[in-house]
Amino acid sequence: MAMLQVAEPTAAVGPVVPRLFRVRGRRRETRDTITVDLQAVAPADESGFTPGQFNMLYIFGTGEVPISISGDPGRVDFLAHTVRAVGAVTQSLAAMKRGALVGVRGPFGTSWPVEAAEGSDVVIVGGGIGLAPLRPVLYRLLARREKFGRIVLLYGARTPGDLLYVRELERWRSRMDLDVEVTVDAAAGSWRGNVGVVTTLIPRAPFDPASSVALVCGPEVMMRFTVRELQARGVRDDRMFLSMERNMKCGVGQCGHCQYGPFFICRDGPVFPYGQIAPFFRVREI
Amino acid sequence: MQPGAHAVIDLAGFGQVLDLLRASGYRLIGPVRRDGAIVYDEISSAADLPAGWTEEQGPGTYRLQRRNDGALFGYATAPDSWKRALHPPVLRLWQGRRVNGDLQVADEPDDAGPRAFIGVRACDLHAIAIQDRVFLAGQYADPAYKARSENVFIVAVNCGQAGGTCFCLSMGTGPKATMGFDLALTEIVDGGHRFLVEVGTARGAEILDGVPHRPADGADGEAAAQVVAKAAAQMGRSLDTRDIKDLLYRNLEHPRWQEVAARCLTCGNCTMVCPTCFCTTVEDATDLAGDHAERWRRWGSCFSLEFSYVHGGSIRASAASRYRQWLTHKLATWIDQFGTSGCVGCGRCITWCPVGIDITEEVRAIRETSAAMAGAGKEEHRADA
């Protein structure tokens, strides 16, 4: 068997074999969530991505998981992934030290409709770790701020301790050209912000429903109620975009695990216009 | 000989076809009798074929039986399909080694080599064409499937009898082979054991030209047509495919899913024997020292709980949802995904279901009560509350 040296470009071998990346930096976000920045070992393996896409991250001998890319799409020198340590692979990932090797396949999947949103208000609704795949689109929108109308970020988490990107949220909140509202399901007395689920922020959020594009990611139950609230405000089904989640093994529509009705979430998603998935959205166990 | 041409070979001539294929460098894969069933395995000559054997098939039933003639292809469908040869049940995707803190990864060489599939039925030709779409037609062709599907010589056999669970006629996939073969045989036992051979490709013609054959006359054509007509008349099952995609999409909350779930063992047998089911799972493993890692791909099944597992639990926790996933994928969502049905009517899922669940019966039950459901209101868009 011919061994490929790490220094050689491995992009040619296709989507089956992981490319090698190293952990360049890591930041703790919450009690159980960290963000790792991954840098390609071989410069030829550097890949850009578009906001909303994900990678399959492989830990030597432990396994592989789909993780959204959560960093700035303007940076190609590293890829940020925000990982919640809930299983064997994500726990290993969260424990990785600088310099550790991680296998990367991707980027896979569809993206948030940044170009299509030009000239419109943009409402971003995130729940919990669902903010991670939305952060790249926020970077992209802010980098071309003049192209868009109002930009509103509505973010909910269970407790103040579960909020991601806290310092960035503060920075964004201080901008005059961005409306940021944060809420938590429950908090101690020291919390001075909103309490309640994220959908409670929608009725009074400052955007024009007729000309808005909504980008939504979070637990399915949160997205179901978010869609309902956005519909109540008058946002059209084909102007709402949701990032869906299912089990994934291959990332290229061949293992079958991520099927969602007629769709492969890895290939046809993860970002879907709501109108496309509406017939399946309220069917249980689909 | 040209593609589309017909000729007749006798039993010895058929043996010579196999010998010539071997001499041309093909490994022969064909039907053999083993473990009380007909399975596909490597063969060396026509003598390895299950001459004089047939089978009885029904829901949850499969029994080999003697025939009163020496037909080589006198059975209907094997529990095996050609999926095993093109999309192996277990496959190492790559292996990697840790060397001085670095990781060296290599993908797997694929060297199935030239192979000849002997005795591929019309339904299975369609199944192969369907898996070709799954693995080759998308943005990323699966390298393992691609390597295995290239350089396969196909000797098809038109069916002379249908099994008790067959319904290829309903699915438009048989019993006569119409595409995807190099040579297609019709075995004629009465009036002198012989084969009417249809040439499908230039390389098929080359093989046929290399063995003694005579031109087909009207009587040969007539006898072969009767063989196929007999199979068509014997179909054990039928499936009404009119509007089937919309029928199933309309009935995602039909009570029949609960009813079938009370019988379904969620064993996944149907997905293993199905010639088009392509789902896989992967396993990552290391040696004890942790220096060597491998990734293996195995056939997966949408009937397992782990198939749909995400953090917090399985999306399809109930048996009803898993059976619905399988059947609606096969007959409805597959059409949206790949532009073709995922079912070829081979009946294997009926035969090899340990409790005899019959896909044709399940669709019939939904169809018969679908109108009543539609009249009862939009149940399928049940609110989440």
Side-chain angles (χ1 to χ4, degrees):
Chain A
M1 186 188 62
M3 279 288 181
L4 295 174
Q5 295 298 314
V6 285
E8 289 176 7
T10 53
V13 297
V16 175
V17 177
R19 294 168 292 141
L20 297 178
F21 281 60
R22 279 189 198 284
V23 176
R24 187 179 100 162
R26 61 195 300 279
R27 283 177 304 289
R28 179 161 289 281
E29 304 287 356
T30 73
R31 175 181 48 84
D32 59 4
T33 304
I34 68 145
T35 296
V36 287
D37 296 337
L38 302 177
Q39 187 168 27
V41 170
D45 281 342
E46 268 181 14
S47 67
F49 72 100
T50 51
Q53 289 191 301
F54 68 94
N55 278 318
M56 300 295 297
L57 300 187
Y58 167 75
I59 302 298
F60 188 81
T62 304
E64 195 182 49
V65 286
I67 304 286
S68 311
I69 309 171
S70 63
D72 184 347
R75 299 284 300 268
V76 293
D77 53 328
F78 72 95
L79 294 167
H81 295 81
T82 301
V83 184
R84 195 165 151 229
V86 291
V89 181
T90 48
Q91 277 164 8
S92 299
L93 254 173
M96 294 244 121
K97 297 195 165 56
R98 278 185 59 150
L101 283 167
V102 175
V104 175
R105 296 191 300 121
F108 297 123
T110 56
S111 320
W112 302 108
V114 178
E115 276 73 35
E118 285 183 9
S120 303
D121 288 0
V122 182
V123 190
I124 298 172
V125 189
I129 197 161
L131 186 59
L134 288 165
R135 190 168 65 153
V137 80
L138 203 53
Y139 286 130
R140 178 59 56 85
L141 295 172
L142 294 176
R144 309 165 59 201
R145 183 64 192 87
E146 72 288 354
K147 302 261 188 196
F148 306 92
R150 302 191 77 144
I151 299 177
V152 179
L153 171 64
L154 309 177
Y155 177 42
R158 279 178 298 183
T159 72
D162 293 310
L163 292 168
L164 300 179
Y165 317 134
V166 174
R167 264 181 296 173
E168 236 163 353
L169 282 172
E170 281 307 319
R171 254 201 327 274
W172 288 333
R173 228 207 293 237
S174 66
R175 289 179 67 133
M176 301 303 286
D177 58 355
L178 182 61
D179 289 292
V180 177
E181 284 291 340
V182 174
T183 184
V184 295
D185 297 348
S190 56
W191 171 253
R192 290 160 168 259
N194 300 301
V195 176
V197 294
V198 71
T199 46
T200 60
L201 301 175
I202 294 171
R204 54 195 163 88
F207 60 90
D208 171 19
S211 84
S212 286
V213 167
L215 314 178
V216 186
C217 185
E220 262 186 59
V221 61
M222 165 264 179
M223 293 202 287
R224 280 201 289 271
F225 284 100
T226 298
V227 164
R228 199 173 278 178
E229 291 294 335
L230 290 169
Q231 283 172 329
R233 283 282 308 258
V235 180
R236 276 173 27 203
D237 286 1
D238 61 349
R239 308 265 292 172
M240 292 181 225
F241 294 82
L242 275 55
S243 181
M244 302 298 293
E245 183 191 14
R246 284 292 181 273
N247 186 306
M248 290 182 190
K249 298 292 185 198
C250 75
V252 294
Q254 288 168 354
C255 78
H257 284 250
C258 69
Q259 285 179 84
Y260 181 64
F263 307 110
F264 292 101
I265 286 182
C266 69
R267 190 190 70 188
D268 308 318
V271 176
F272 293 94
Y274 173 67
Q276 191 179 10
I277 58 171
F280 308 97
F281 192 60
R282 298 186 194 282
V283 179
R284 288 177 197 205
E285 297 187 281
I286 192 83
Chain B
M1 302 281 292
Q2 293 294 319
H6 290 78
V8 172
I9 57 175
D10 60 15
L11 203 51
F14 172 72
Q16 285 169 288
V17 166
L18 299 197
D19 295 343
L20 184 53
L21 283 167
R22 271 192 85 183
S24 307
Y26 293 102
R27 278 195 300 134
L28 305 181
I29 315 288
V32 295
R33 186 166 62 90
R34 196 177 65 207
D35 302 332
I38 309 273
V39 298
Y40 300 128
D41 204 350
E42 189 150 354
I43 59 173
S44 52
S45 74
D48 294 335
L49 299 179
W53 287 93
T54 187
E55 86 281 65
E56 181 197 341
Q57 293 197 43
T61 302
Y62 178 98
R63 291 279 181 283
L64 282 187
Q65 291 172 342
R66 287 301 270 178
R67 292 173 63 95
N68 53 16
D69 61 26
L72 299 183
F73 299 99
Y75 60 94
T77 49
D80 244 353
S81 73
W82 303 94
K83 176 167 85 170
R84 183 179 295 279
L86 296 170
H87 175 41
V90 181
L91 182 71
R92 186 167 60 201
L93 292 179
W94 53 263
Q95 48 184 323
R97 242 182 2 202
R98 230 201 279 259
V99 180
N100 302 327
D102 269 353
L103 187 59
Q104 297 178 343
V105 176
D107 61 348
E108 289 289 311
D110 276 308
D111 54 353
R115 293 179 296 174
F117 294 174
I118 311 301
V120 183
R121 305 306 177 124
C123 58
D124 284 343
L125 290 174
H126 282 268
I128 291 169
I130 289 169
Q131 287 216 324
D132 283 354
R133 289 200 194 198
V134 173
F135 288 116
L136 304 177
Q139 185 187 355
Y140 301 105
D142 178 54
Y145 187 89
K146 188 165 187 288
R148 280 171 179 71
S149 64
E150 284 168 353
N151 223 348
V152 171
F153 188 102
I154 290 185
V155 179
V157 170
N158 295 321
C159 286
Q161 68 176 54
T165 57
C166 288
F167 56 104
C168 65
L169 204 58
S170 299
M171 303 312 293
T173 57
K176 187 177 190 303
T178 56
M179 44 66 83
F181 56 82
D182 294 289
L183 294 173
L185 313 179
T186 308
E187 184 172 28
I188 304 164
V189 182
D190 298 335
H193 200 161
R194 63 197 191 279
F195 297 88
L196 180 74
V197 187
E198 181 182 345
V199 175
T201 61
R203 65 179 182 176
E206 214 172 290
I207 293 293
L208 186 59
D209 281 335
V211 304
H213 61 272
R214 64 168 173 82
D217 60 27
D220 298 316
E222 181 60 28
Q226 274 176 20
V227 165
V228 175
K230 186 177 146 215
Q234 276 180 344
M235 286 292 140
R237 292 284 185 284
S238 67
L239 178 65
D240 182 354
T241 60
R242 279 175 305 145
D243 188 34
I244 192 155
K245 189 180 94 175
D246 292 334
L247 173 78
L248 292 170
Y249 279 0
R250 277 199 309 273
N251 286 286
L252 293 174
E253 303 284 8
H254 195 285
R256 184 71 182 189
W257 304 120
Q258 301 297 334
E259 201 279 333
V260 66
R263 290 173 284 139
C264 177
L265 308 177
T266 66
C267 68
N269 258 18
C270 48
T271 56
M272 298 295 110
V273 296
C274 177
T276 68
C277 270
F278 59 83
C279 292
T280 52
T281 189
V282 292
E283 288 171 9
D284 288 292
T286 47
D287 62 358
L288 282 175
D291 292 329
H292 180 90
E294 301 186 343
R295 171 166 300 164
W296 289 79
R297 182 169 82 184
R298 295 173 183 277
W299 286 355
S301 175
C302 51
F303 283 93
S304 75
L305 278 170
E306 54 110 44
F307 188 84
S308 66
Y309 183 84
V310 291
H311 170 60
S314 294
I315 300 281
R316 297 184 202 104
S318 71
S321 69
R322 282 176 269 157
Y323 186 84
R324 179 182 67 184
Q325 168 62 25
W326 179 74
L327 189 144
T328 55
H329 185 213
K330 203 97 301 202
L331 294 171
T333 54
W334 206 297
I335 297 170
D336 278 333
Q337 291 169 353
F338 302 107
T340 170
S341 173
C343 176
V344 297
C346 70
R348 289 181 174 98
C349 58
I350 308 171
T351 299
W352 295 95
C353 176
V355 295
I357 293 172
D358 180 344
I359 187 172
T360 68
E361 187 54 39
E362 296 312 310
V363 172
R364 189 169 295 119
I366 287 172
R367 189 181 287 284
E368 281 169 0
T369 47
S370 173
M373 286 290 297
K378 295 193 166 151
E379 287 295 312
E380 67 264 39
H381 291 279
R382 187 163 67 184
D384 49 73

